[in-house]
Structures are given as C-alpha cells and as structure tokens.
C-alpha cells in the first residue's frame, strides 16, 4: 500500500507538469512555429542575402563564395533593371488600388443591400478564382485577351479592340487573381458596420458617395490595409503573368530573377532584395497610418 501511494504521489501527469513550469508550456507552444519561421524562412532569406555578395568565376562560370558589392552596383546602375523595378512597383500599386475600388462598393452592396440568395451568389463569384489552378486562371485570361479572343469578338461591333498582351492585361490579370484577398476582408468589415450609421448619415443630408467617404472608408481602413498587403506583395513577386499575358515589354522583377537564377545566381539574389525592400517600405508606411494596430 505504501509503495502504491508513494508512486501515485511521485508520478505527475503531463498537464500538472506543464502547469507548474511555464517555460515548458512556451516551448511546447512555440517550438514548431519558431522552427518554421526561423529555421526555414529567416535562415533562407539570410542565405539569399549572403549569396548576393558572392561572384561568378569568369573562367569556370562557377559561383565563388566571397564578398563583393558589384552585384548590387549592377542592379542599381543598370537602366533596364531600374525600369523593371519601377514598372513592377507601379503594377503592384495599380492592382492594389483597382482591387480596393472594386471591393468597397461591392462589399457595401453585398453586406447591406443584397438579398441572402444574391449575397451567396456574389460570394461564390468572388471566391471562384480561388477554385481553379493558378496557371488555369492565367491561361483563361490569355485566351480572353488574345487577338482572336473573346474580348475582341465581343467589342468588334463597337469598333473597340482589347489591350492585347500588354502591361494593362498584366494589371487586369493580377487583379483577377488577387481580388478575393481584398474583397473578403472588406466585405467582412462592412458587415460589422451598424446600419444606423448609414441612416444617420442620410438624415444629415449626406449622399451615397459622401457617406462612403466620411463614414465607411474610415471604418474600412484596417480591412483595406489588410487586403492591400496581400494584393501588393503577391503582385510584386509575380512574373508568370507577365510572361504569358504581358508581351515583350512587360517584364517584372521576377522575370529578371528567373532568367538569372541559373546564369548568375549572385545577381539574382541581389535583385531579389528589391521586392523585399519594397514590401518592408510598404509595411512601414502603412504602419505609420495606424491601421495595422487596429487590424
């Protein structure tokens, strides 16, 4: 009996052990995500940055570990690289702005005006691009805007021709791809706005656009920032869209990185720092607005 009692007293369940030792709870909770974040994500970015300082041997064409700033000097001095960086930044900003312009009125209609069945139909339509594969959606846009495609066929009676494979088509395709990431948080935020705010704005004499500007947009700002982080960063790192629907003059940062990844990995690594810098600057700017703290 004594031995059994002693064993029962000395044996501690796992829950009791975790309760008494806070550090063990933290280790069990954070070990897996920290392994992913630090071991795979941050370390891989650090290795990428280190590779940017290496160089290519002129005789063997092999990557030689070392330290040189020539790769960064090339990235920031080559006019083609600078033009491509600015073009990519403009495309990412255009996609973000276009997605926000579409998402706000659509979210207001779905959340406050549409009937339940129409709201369900629109929700399916918004998320429909997420159901298909990435390349399938790009090929669908390519077929739509090709010279003999659906858009030109539809607009031919009016004498209108489509943009063809150009930077405009790139922006439209990326908006089509990433619009759900803007529309869903905006719609969710609008649903949480009390209806009496719209009524109060109307009672004070505000018209529809005035209500959106003075009432809705300030309350939607955190949701717009959350959606813009996705649309901006995803558009900034894309290059397959530019390859399939952009034509010869619509190269993006990813296009140059992909073309150099085998020929000159240090230059590709140095050039990949630019989209990282763009995203960091974008996050710092949005943080100054205070929207990130309200998300």
């Amino acid at each position: 009996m004594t031995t059994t009692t002693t064993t029962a007293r000395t044996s501690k369940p796992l829950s009791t052990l975790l309760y008494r030792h806070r550090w063990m709870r933290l280790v069990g909770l954070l070990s897996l995500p920290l392994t992913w974040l630090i071991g795979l994500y941050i370390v891989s970015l650090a290795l990428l940055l280190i590779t940017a300082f290496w160089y290519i041997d002129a005789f063997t064409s092999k990557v030689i570990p070392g330290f040189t700033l020539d790769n960064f000097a090339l990235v920031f001095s080559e006019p083609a690289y600078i033009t491509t960086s600015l073009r990519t930044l403009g495309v990412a900003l255009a996609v973000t702005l276009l997605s926000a312009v579409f998402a706000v009125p659509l979210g207001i209609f779905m959340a406050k005006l549409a009937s339940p069945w129409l709201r369900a139909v629109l929700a399916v339509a918004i998320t429909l691009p997420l159901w298909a594969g990435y390349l399938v959606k790009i090929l669908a846009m390519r077929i739509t805007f090709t010279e003999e495609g659906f858009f030109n066929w539809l607009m031919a009676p009016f004498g209108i021709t489509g943009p063809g494979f150009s930077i405009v088509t790139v922006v439209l395709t990326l908006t089509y791809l990433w619009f759900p990431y803007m529309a869903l948080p905006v719609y969710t935020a609008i649903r949480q706005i009390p209806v009496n705010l719209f009524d109060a704005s109307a009672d004070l004499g505000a018209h529809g656009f005035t209500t959106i500007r003075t009432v809705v947009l300030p309350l939607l700002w955190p949701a717009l920032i959350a959606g813009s982080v996705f649309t901006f960063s995803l558009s900034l790192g894309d290059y397959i869209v530019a390859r399939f629907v952009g034509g010869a003059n619509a190269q993006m940062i990813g296009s140059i990185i992909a073309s150099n990844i085998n020929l000159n990995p240090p230059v590709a690594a140095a050039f990949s720092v630019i989209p990282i810098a763009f995203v960091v600057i974008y996050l710092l700017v949005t943080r100054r607005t205070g929207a990130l703290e309200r998300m």
Side-chain angles (χ1 to χ4, degrees):
M1 175 68 73
T2 303
T3 304
T4 305
T5 305
T6 304
T7 303
R9 289 177 179 178
T10 55
S11 62
K12 297 180 179 180
L14 180 61
S15 59
T16 304
L17 186 64
L18 294 176
Y19 176 78
R20 292 181 178 180
H21 300 281
R22 182 173 178 270
W23 65 271
M24 295 186 65
R25 298 201 306 270
L26 292 177
V27 170
L29 181 65
L30 299 178
S31 58
L32 186 59
L34 285 180
T35 300
W36 169 263
L37 180 63
I38 298 177
L40 296 178
Y41 185 71
I42 295 180
V43 171
S44 62
L45 289 179
L47 294 176
L48 176 69
L49 182 61
I50 293 173
T51 307
F53 295 99
W54 294 357
Y55 58 93
I56 294 291
D57 186 273
F59 296 99
T60 63
S61 298
K62 293 183 177 180
V63 178
I64 306 299
F67 183 84
T68 179
L69 296 176
D70 292 344
N71 300 318
F72 291 98
L74 177 64
V75 167
F76 290 104
S77 62
E78 176 63 36
Y81 290 169
I82 297 175
T83 302
T84 301
S85 300
L86 295 177
R87 181 190 302 119
T88 304
L89 178 61
V91 167
L93 292 174
V95 171
T96 300
L97 180 60
L98 196 60
S99 298
V101 169
F102 290 157
V104 172
L106 179 61
I108 293 175
F109 177 78
M110 290 178 59
K112 304 301 181 182
L113 301 175
S115 59
W117 71 268
L118 182 56
R119 185 182 302 124
V121 170
L122 291 175
V124 171
I126 290 174
T127 58
L128 190 61
L130 301 178
W131 297 8
Y134 175 75
L135 285 177
V136 172
K137 292 177 286 189
I138 296 177
L139 291 177
M141 294 296 287
R142 179 180 175 88
I143 293 174
T144 300
F145 288 101
T146 190
E147 186 175 350
E148 299 83 13
F150 176 77
F151 186 88
N152 285 343
W153 170 81
L154 185 65
M155 294 298 165
F158 306 99
I160 300 175
T161 58
F165 297 150
S166 63
I167 198 69
V168 175
T169 310
V170 171
V171 172
L172 293 176
T173 303
L174 289 174
T175 303
Y176 164 65
L177 289 173
W178 312 134
F179 177 70
Y181 296 99
M182 177 69 77
L184 293 179
V186 168
Y187 164 68
T188 303
I190 293 176
R191 288 198 63 182
Q192 298 174 357
I193 299 177
V195 180
N196 56 10
L197 291 181
F198 293 88
D199 297 334
S201 178
D203 293 340
L204 293 174
H207 299 289
F209 287 105
T210 303
T211 300
I212 292 175
R213 179 175 57 85
T214 59
V215 177
V216 177
L217 287 181
L219 297 175
L220 284 185
W221 194 240
L224 288 171
I225 293 298
S228 70
V229 171
F230 287 101
T231 57
F232 180 80
S233 58
L234 291 173
S235 300
L236 200 65
D238 198 287
Y239 73 96
I240 299 179
V241 169
R243 177 180 178 183
F244 281 94
V245 302
N249 298 320
Q251 272 197 334
M252 298 178 68
I253 290 177
S255 306
I256 296 180
I257 295 175
S259 62
N260 282 284
I261 194 66
N262 292 322
L263 298 176
N264 198 328
V267 170
F271 201 55
S272 64
V273 174
I274 294 181
I276 297 176
F278 281 158
V279 172
V280 171
I281 294 172
Y282 187 80
L283 291 176
L284 291 176
V285 171
T286 55
R287 183 176 182 274
R288 291 181 64 87
T289 65
L292 293 179
E293 284 76 11
R294 301 196 300 269
M295 287 172 55

